[in-house]
Amino acid sequence: MLQFLFYIGFVLQTSAFIAPPDEYACPFPTSKPELDSLRPLAKIYQDEREDGWWPFREVAGRESFVDKTEFIKYFLDTRKQLVLVAPPNFGKSTNLQMLKHFFQIPVDAMGANLTFNMAEKGTFFGKLAICKKHPSICSDYLSSAPVVSLDLESVVGSTPTTFLETFRAEVERVFRAHGYLAKSERLSAFNKEEFASYESHLGDPNRTIAFYKDGIDVLTRLLFVHHRRKCILLVDNFDRLAVAAMLGKDEEYQLPTEVEEIYFSLGETAKHSAFVSRTLLTGVFRMGSHRQGHDDNLLYKSIFADPQISQHFGLTLAEVETLIGRLGRSKEHSNVDLHGIKHYFDGYRISDKQIKIFNTGTVVGYLEGADEDDLIPSLPLFSIYKPLFRFELLGEHLQEAGEHGTNLAPQWVISITDLFQLREAVNANVTNFNGTHDKDLLVQLLQEAGYFTITARHPNGSVHLEIPCLAVKEAYEDLVYHDEFFVIEEEKLERELEADATKNNTHGHKGKKKGL
């Protein structure tokens, strides 16, 4: 019956423009079990990004799949254009793909709606939590909108030229995913020329970032013309542009300006486009443009800030227990696994509550018997800032923060200029080092990368941070402590001991004189 209702809804929605309702405008295991089904979806679909929703269906159909489809309801209920940040491997890419496959209208090569595929999607999602618990959402929103899905992971900033080529390639890929627009009867000849100019650079290979930064805004407009529906905009690895620019060689300081322009353009499309109904951008760091100001219409949130968000990411302890139970191990072996995970990972604190969630990637790696040193790899960005970890700069503070925690007043958004200014501090000496600002920014980057968890929130907006677990503590020490750090710390200790010895000798001589 539910499948029939879905099919009727699809037919009605494809025959005319019907807007969606306004109310949603430890020892490691010695064996390595087969756990391919537990791996993040991104690793499975990365070579199949243009093949429709089948990769998601394959993963979701396995017994080991953890159903997070109720995130769709959260996405609809939130009337803001969202930017969600979280450390790697908490399920951001998976949830973006889930949204894409849920909302996207299946079409053929000419752009005609495929009602059979819509009905098939109805059958598939009808078995998942979103449709079981919220059938009205499925009948109203399943296959209801064109989706623009951008993944910036492939952008490389080794040089400004490489940055342009890789960003252009991603924009072209997104346009090719909607290649039917070139044949659409609803698009004018001018519209089709616009589409062709972004689909391939061969007609004009000299186009710059200034041209391609507006591509997504153009595509949403063309999709609206064809479908007569507003688009949903999804951008994965939103922060990758800034990181790519930081890792590159840019003697003329060209990339910061270009990255700022792209962030500003995407932000304007997300917030103000008449052709976009909802947006979700995800990344590790809360990157953005300072030019846009603190606009409530673009909402930056950490997945750890609110239990209503965190329940859709990572793994709860109950979900970890369920995954272990599905491995078919003995009760004793399962207990060892659970104890090891609780002891080694412990989980990230949600808001200021006692609720915790575990990192999906590290838990799966642990269950697979991955090497301990590979479970929490350091992000490339921190290799640039390594000199700042010198004891006389930020090393002493980072050591104190690692041992006893620290307070932080986080920035609401980090710009590419902030990252480059922090990189300039790498060459600073103690006398001109901007300690307070640089310290807070670096600690915030470490926190957003997963090296700290927020254990308390203060009325003034600041937070208290602590290292969440043993696994992260070891990774943090590997990142922060190095030979130069310990040499300087040892020299400082020697100076303190010499000063104490001198002080004691001075007191001793005074005592002898007084006795005489």
Side-chain angles (χ1 to χ4, degrees):
M1 181 64 181
L2 185 59
Q3 178 179 343
F4 175 75
L5 290 174
F6 287 162
Y7 181 80
I8 294 299
F10 298 147
V11 173
L12 289 174
Q13 289 190 22
T14 55
S15 61
F17 171 49
I18 305 175
D22 289 338
E23 64 268 21
Y24 288 106
C26 40
F28 281 74
T30 56
S31 62
K32 293 186 178 181
E34 294 295 330
L35 288 179
D36 289 341
S37 57
L38 299 184
R39 292 189 177 279
L41 176 62
K43 295 180 180 179
I44 296 175
Y45 84 88
Q46 60 187 357
D47 296 325
E48 307 177 72
R49 288 186 294 175
E50 298 179 29
D51 291 348
W53 63 291
W54 305 108
F56 179 75
R57 186 183 71 166
E58 178 188 352
V59 174
R62 296 175 178 176
E63 290 185 359
S64 54
F65 175 69
V66 178
D67 192 338
K68 302 283 186 177
T69 54
E70 285 191 273
F71 179 64
I72 295 169
K73 183 178 186 301
Y74 176 86
F75 179 69
L76 290 169
D77 285 342
T78 303
R79 294 175 177 269
K80 305 285 185 178
Q81 310 295 57
L82 282 173
V83 183
L84 291 182
V85 294
N89 298 324
F90 267 92
K92 301 186 297 295
S93 296
T94 302
N95 277 347
L96 277 178
Q97 286 300 306
M98 175 184 66
L99 293 176
K100 172 185 174 182
H101 302 318
F102 181 86
F103 289 105
Q104 186 162 262
I105 302 173
V107 296
D108 63 18
M110 301 298 294
N113 294 348
L114 295 172
T115 54
F116 175 79
N117 287 26
M118 292 176 173
E120 194 171 27
K121 282 174 67 174
T123 301
F124 168 71
F125 277 100
K127 299 175 183 178
L128 300 176
I130 184 62
C131 291
K132 287 183 176 180
K133 298 181 180 180
H134 312 282
S136 62
I137 289 180
C138 284
S139 60
D140 289 341
Y141 290 97
L142 189 62
S143 297
S144 64
V147 177
V148 175
S149 179
L150 188 70
D151 186 356
L152 300 175
E153 176 65 23
S154 59
V155 177
V156 178
S158 53
T159 66
T161 299
T162 306
F163 184 87
L164 166 62
E165 291 173 347
T166 51
F167 179 71
R168 178 181 65 198
E170 177 59 16
V171 172
E172 290 177 346
R173 182 196 68 79
V174 175
F175 270 78
R176 287 196 302 271
H178 300 277
Y180 58 88
L181 291 176
K183 303 176 183 179
S184 172
E185 295 180 355
R186 292 177 175 172
L187 266 63
S188 67
F190 175 76
N191 290 154
K192 292 178 181 179
E193 287 181 7
E194 277 188 296
F195 180 84
S197 66
Y198 285 98
E199 186 184 27
S200 174
H201 66 278
L202 297 180
D204 187 354
N206 296 320
R207 293 190 179 105
T208 65
I209 288 290
F211 175 80
Y212 287 102
K213 70 179 177 63
D214 296 325
I216 301 305
D217 191 57
V218 171
L219 181 58
T220 59
R221 172 168 51 81
L222 298 180
L223 286 170
F224 180 83
V225 172
H226 175 83
H227 291 280
R228 299 175 184 173
R229 296 170 182 273
K230 291 186 177 182
C231 298
I232 290 175
L233 175 60
L234 306 175
V235 182
D236 200 7
N237 298 297
F238 182 61
D239 55 339
R240 175 62 188 175
L241 295 178
V243 175
M246 288 292 298
L247 296 174
K249 296 179 180 180
D250 181 22
E251 296 178 357
E252 297 181 0
Y253 207 66
Q254 176 180 339
L255 288 178
T257 301
E258 294 183 342
V259 170
E260 169 70 19
E261 288 298 319
I262 294 172
Y263 279 148
F264 182 78
S265 180
L266 285 175
E268 289 296 291
T269 299
K271 292 186 299 181
H272 304 305
S273 173
F275 312 110
V276 175
S277 60
R278 282 177 177 80
T279 301
L280 177 60
L281 301 86
T282 65
V284 174
F285 306 111
R286 54 180 66 221
M287 301 303 304
S289 169
H290 277 171
R291 289 168 55 192
Q292 290 163 326
H294 199 305
D295 190 337
D296 289 338
N297 196 35
L298 189 61
L299 182 64
Y300 283 80
K301 277 197 172 184
S302 165
I303 65 167
F304 306 124
D306 185 349
Q308 296 301 316
I309 301 175
S310 64
Q311 64 180 310
H312 306 298
F313 293 88
L315 299 171
T316 65
L317 184 59
E319 289 168 341
V320 171
E321 292 176 339
T322 299
L323 289 181
I324 293 174
R326 291 172 181 171
L327 298 180
R329 295 175 177 174
S330 66
K331 183 177 181 180
E332 181 179 357
H333 198 173
S334 296
N335 288 337
V336 170
D337 284 335
L338 183 61
H339 173 76
I341 290 171
K342 291 169 67 176
H343 169 74
Y344 200 62
F345 299 110
D346 193 36
Y348 287 77
R349 188 77 63 84
I350 303 305
S351 188
D352 54 355
K353 304 181 184 299
Q354 296 301 314
I355 305 171
K356 293 182 178 181
I357 58 174
F358 294 80
N359 184 298
T360 306
T362 52
V363 167
V364 170
Y366 179 89
L367 293 175
E368 290 181 327
D371 186 87
E372 178 179 346
D373 295 332
D374 297 332
L375 289 174
I376 307 179
S378 175
L379 297 179
L381 181 64
F382 294 118
S383 65
I384 300 172
Y385 298 138
K386 191 78 171 180
L388 290 178
F389 300 158
R390 299 203 309 266
F391 190 83
E392 74 274 22
L393 294 183
L394 290 180
E396 185 174 15
H397 173 72
L398 294 176
Q399 181 187 36
E400 181 71 16
E403 293 177 354
H404 306 292
T406 185
N407 290 329
L408 173 69
Q411 296 180 202
W412 72 273
V413 65
I414 300 171
S415 73
I416 181 66
T417 303
D418 291 325
L419 294 189
F420 270 82
Q421 287 177 347
L422 186 59
R423 190 175 74 174
E424 291 174 359
V426 167
N427 300 319
N429 56 43
V430 179
T431 57
N432 62 16
F433 182 67
N434 184 13
T436 302
H437 174 267
D438 294 330
K439 176 190 71 175
D440 288 348
L441 180 56
L442 184 57
V443 170
Q444 182 172 345
L445 292 172
L446 288 166
Q447 182 262 320
E448 292 182 349
Y451 288 99
F452 291 101
T453 186
I454 296 175
T455 58
R457 298 177 185 272
H458 306 304
N460 64 357
S462 66
V463 296
H464 184 73
L465 307 177
E466 294 180 8
I467 291 181
C469 58
L470 178 60
V472 173
K473 181 176 178 61
E474 293 177 356
Y476 180 80
E477 291 174 349
D478 289 341
L479 175 69
V480 172
Y481 301 155
H482 48 90
D483 293 340
E484 184 180 358
F485 177 96
F486 286 114
V487 168
I488 294 174
E489 187 178 24
E490 184 177 354
E491 291 175 351
K492 179 186 176 185
L493 180 60
E494 289 177 355
R495 290 194 297 269
E496 291 176 349
L497 291 175
E498 291 175 358
D500 288 342
T502 302
K503 184 177 180 181
N504 291 334
N505 288 336
T506 302
H507 285 310
H509 287 304
K510 288 181 178 180
K512 289 179 181 179
K513 291 180 179 180
K514 186 176 181 180
L516 289 173

